[in-house]
Amino acid sequence: MSANSSDLPLNIECFMNDIDVSGTLNRGKFEEFCAELLAKVEAPLRSIMEQTRLKKEDIYAVEIMGGASRTPAIKDRISKFFGKELSTTLNADEAVARGCALQVSSRSWTI
């Protein structure tokens, strides 16, 4: 549904008492069903901003990756939270390497 907002077929075999169910579902209706879950996207974002004592204005760019990064409803909420367009250009390995480099550079090491 991420790439398609039109009605898609929905078929469930043997839903209950050996009865098959079929119908259609579109992204808008799916997002209505998931509204409570989607509303929870902002809590971890607020938490990390509080923990780091950063303000939204301190954030230059927002890079997202992974399966959920393809979900339009999640992307919209993250984008609205930060008030920025999202980037999805990094691959996961590169992001891990950059994160490690940032962690190392922010610490002083004594051997």
Side-chain angles (χ1 to χ4, degrees):
M1 276 190 215
S2 293
N4 192 344
S5 59
S6 61
D7 288 349
L8 299 172
L10 177 67
N11 299 301
I12 304 171
E13 294 182 19
C14 300
F15 179 64
M16 191 168 70
N17 299 328
D18 292 326
I19 297 173
D20 296 341
V21 177
S22 63
T24 60
L25 186 64
N26 60 40
R27 184 171 45 204
K29 193 66 174 170
F30 180 75
E31 288 176 7
E32 284 180 39
F33 291 147
C34 299
E36 283 185 43
L37 292 173
L38 293 171
K40 294 180 180 183
V41 168
E42 287 187 25
L45 300 175
R46 268 190 248 103
S47 175
I48 196 71
M49 295 300 287
E50 290 170 5
Q51 290 175 34
T52 58
R53 294 185 185 104
L54 291 172
K55 294 180 248 138
K56 293 178 188 178
E57 303 83 45
D58 298 330
I59 305 297
Y60 174 75
V62 180
E63 179 81 29
I64 62 172
M65 70 190 67
S69 68
R70 293 183 207 98
T71 308
I74 303 241
K75 288 169 74 172
D76 289 344
R77 281 165 175 77
I78 295 171
S79 180
K80 285 178 186 171
F81 179 83
F82 286 105
K84 300 187 180 319
E85 289 296 317
L86 304 178
S87 176
T88 57
T89 57
L90 284 179
N91 67 39
D93 293 335
E94 185 179 354
V96 169
R98 285 184 182 206
C100 290
L102 287 170
Q103 286 293 320
V104 168
S105 68
S106 68
R107 298 177 185 199
S108 61
W109 295 88
T110 307
I111 298 179

